[in-house]
Amino acid sequence: MIRSALLLALLGAVPLSHAAPDLKTVAERSAFVQTGRYDEVIKLCAAFQVAYPKAVRCIDFGTTPEGRPMKALVVTRTGAMTAQAAAKRALPVVLVQGGIHAGEIDGKDAGFLALREVLENRAAPGALDKQVLLFVPVFNIDGHERFKKWNRPNQRGPVEIGWRTTAQNFNLNRDYAKADSPEMQAMLNLVNAWDPLAYIDLHVTDGAKFEHDVSIQVEPVHSADSELRQIGLALRSGVLADITAQGSMPQPFYMSFVDTDNPASGFADGVSDPRFSTGYFPLRNRLAMLVETHSWKDYATRVRVTRNAVVAILAQVAEHGTAWRQATLQADARAAKLAGADLPLTYKTTDKVRMIDFRGYAYSRTPSEVSGQLMTRYDETRPQIWRVPVRDEIVPDAMARAPLAGYVVPPAQAAMVAAKLKLHGISFRTLAASKDSFAVETFRAEKATFGAGSVESHQRLALAGQWKAEPRTLAKGSLFVPIGQPKARLVLALFEPLAPDSMVAWGNFNNAFERKEYMEDYVAEDVARAMLAADPALAARFQSRLDTDPAFAKSAAARLEFFAKLHESWDERYSLYPVMRTAVAP
């Protein structure tokens, strides 16, 4: 009794600062009714490092536009607490990211829960001995702090959550390729430093009401390096099997109907463009997984399912990560040899259909007295098997042939482009001297269509045309971007004018397609008459156009422009894409 009393007295004298930190979240303490504010992330990040000083480092990797620190936890029992140490030891790195859409916040609370259990060896025992985990609890931090009820009316819990977009109103899951936001720039710097084998993007889906609780999508499975697709498929299959064994009913496709609000229309799988995480990382020869829990499941269920997915990922990487990492390095080597290859810029889903049994609920579709359209009402007390079509055969669509050497960016655009390339970890060099009459290919747009409205702060641009051989002067200070590098597919995606997320498609070169100089009509009239009188062949071409093209014949502007384009005063750079391709390195 004396010993026990003495022990209790000694424990009572221990300062609170030495007590074991509380690693439970607000979500856990509230029985998953609430989620914490960002100050909880800051506290937990530090607390995990205190509790596990040999296995956790709390780091800052950026600052948001509103001045908040961007926190990540480096978690491993290998001792490799820096990117350099992880690379030196050839350790697979997994980056798990929550809260890119801050209303879809399951990943934050599930990640902390999984982290605690893995560190305690109660889940995926030994997994941290074989890999490094980078956990970013909240990516969209400023959006997370736009915190209130009803930020996602089509989601069950928690009571108050953050907002979908950033303080600058960027949707971060449309920003991987264009990298406008400070948050994405910080994330790409983190990615460039650590080179994760797999990037795990944790979301909550929207959509109808049904029993399935999560979708797991991985790329490359349908896209990018053909040999790496087997690794993507293995990761997806392993995680699906693991979480199914824990009671989930997952699907490997995004569970959104082909026709909105019509269950009978079924589902169509696809490959995302590189503005999305799962479209971007395969272009770097790395794995990307999109975890989408179902919004109509309660928050406790969604956190549990997300936690199970994170644990399954860590277990799979512990078992296979070393071999998978080696496979990505082999894909890097193959990508560096893609010069001259025909490569997909986009993918499409074919019309091939298979029927599946899908666990839904009884529903009715009746006209709405409010909107006037058909409205679907679900009865969640009556589970029902839906026999629905799925289209999941995915094939290349738009193609481009990679240049034999690379791309050349003129000095006027070099600073803007160089900044983008650095963010993506793409190699380039600056020309130290001019090259006169250098053999290149140029792209002169036959048609340029500007977007009618703003998209993510940009006016997008759609071009029609093709590359054609043309000698041009390569000025000193131009950038040469070789295609012969591991990120060759990403280079193609950023520079090919018909690629959906190229720099030109996002409007970075719009000025090149805006006409800035004109010939007055009265001057053009005299110029046209002089040209017709001097060139009978031109006169015949003009008359033929009048005879065969009624719209041209009726348009005074088009008729005068016919001659203006042939005059020495015409701006030869108008509608010329500034970037060039070359078959020979300058």
Side-chain angles (χ1 to χ4, degrees), residues 134-175:
L134 293 181
F135 175 44
V136 178
V138 181
F139 186 7
N140 175 17
I141 297 161
D142 291 342
H144 184 280
E145 291 306 279
R146 191 176 166 184
F147 199 81
K148 67 181 183 68
K149 296 179 180 179
W150 296 109
N151 272 346
R152 276 178 60 79
N154 40 306
Q155 177 177 298
R156 285 187 176 135
V159 173
E160 293 178 296
I161 51 176
W163 188 250
R164 181 178 181 84
T165 56
T166 71
Q168 296 175 330
N169 210 32
F170 282 116
N171 183 339
L172 291 177
N173 203 26
R174 306 295 185 273
D175 201 30

Side-chain angles (χ1 to χ4, degrees), residues 183-253:
E183 293 95 335
M184 184 58 71
Q185 292 167 13
M187 179 62 77
L188 291 178
N189 286 332
L190 185 70
V191 166
N192 290 336
W194 284 89
D195 188 21
L197 161 71
Y199 188 94
I200 314 301
D201 195 0
L202 305 177
H203 287 249
V204 182
T205 189
D206 295 327
K209 293 180 179 179
F210 41 72
E211 289 193 292
H212 296 276
D213 52 7
V214 64
S215 65
I216 303 290
Q217 291 176 275
V218 175
E219 287 297 336
V221 167
H222 305 290
S223 67
D225 184 273
S226 58
E227 294 185 42
L228 201 56
R229 294 178 194 180
Q230 296 305 311
I231 305 302
L233 183 60
L235 173 61
R236 188 184 76 178
S237 299
V239 171
L240 287 172
D242 287 351
I243 64 175
T244 298
Q246 293 174 290
S248 275
M249 291 184 285
Q251 290 288 357
F253 53 81

Side-chain angles (χ1 to χ4, degrees), residues 60-126:
D60 289 7
F61 67 96
T63 303
T64 72
E66 291 186 339
R68 297 181 176 93
M70 300 182 73
K71 294 287 186 179
L73 291 87
V74 181
V75 188
T76 183
R77 294 197 186 279
T78 66
M81 290 296 181
T82 65
Q84 295 80 2
K88 184 176 181 179
R89 295 181 54 182
L91 290 168
V93 177
V94 176
L95 197 159
V96 175
Q97 164 208 284
I100 189 171
H101 295 150
E104 306 168 26
I105 203 57
D106 305 16
K108 175 190 68 176
D109 292 318
F112 278 124
L113 176 59
L115 182 56
R116 194 174 71 239
E117 294 180 349
V118 172
L119 282 165
E120 293 170 354
N121 274 325
R122 292 194 290 122

Side-chain angles (χ1 to χ4, degrees), residues 485-517:
Q485 57 179 304
K487 297 185 182 73
R489 287 184 176 84
L490 183 54
V491 170
L492 207 73
L494 293 175
F495 283 112
E496 279 300 313
L498 304 186
D501 286 325
S502 64
M503 286 181 274
V504 71
W506 277 109
N508 293 109
F509 298 97
N510 277 5
N511 260 353
F513 304 92
E514 299 173 10
R515 191 172 171 188
K516 305 291 187 177
E517 186 58 273

